[in-house]
Amino acid sequence: MKKLPELYKNPNSKPIDNNKKVYYMKEENRSINRNDIEEELNNIFNGLGYAYNIPVEIKTKNQIYHTSLVTKTKENIVTLDNNIIPISDIVSITKK
């Protein structure tokens, strides 16, 4: 059988540290803006993919939830853990 030439192997000479660049910002006391919360909920539910596949952190007046969202009504949201959270109690929502 005839011997074939070797495949080209690109030498990677650059350091791989693209995941190490992080920016920390001091958490400031911001006023609660209902439009920001509604906008973030709309981004989650109307974005690409399904809402239950997007992990979120929801901070309310009393508790912090680490879950995914299932559905949204006019006044409440329902999480994957069967928690019903009133939208008026939400302080912030962030995607993980």
Side-chain angles (χ1 to χ4, degrees), residues 61-84:
K61 297 174 183 175
N62 303 325
Q63 192 173 358
I64 296 175
Y65 299 93
H66 297 279
T67 185
S68 297
L69 303 178
V70 175
T71 187
K72 173 188 160 192
T73 62
K74 190 172 183 178
E75 299 171 353
N76 300 318
I77 56 173
V78 179
T79 66
L80 201 60
D81 303 327
N82 290 331
N83 294 325
I84 299 173

Side-chain angles (χ1 to χ4, degrees), residues 30-62:
R30 297 186 315 174
S31 62
I32 301 170
N33 191 351
R34 293 288 154 212
N35 292 332
D36 291 342
I37 294 172
E38 289 290 333
E39 183 179 327
E40 186 65 28
L41 286 173
N42 288 334
N43 287 341
I44 292 170
F45 284 107
N46 297 332
L48 293 175
Y50 296 107
Y52 59 83
N53 287 336
I54 301 171
V56 294
E57 179 182 287
I58 302 170
K59 293 182 184 178
T60 62
K61 297 174 183 175
N62 303 325

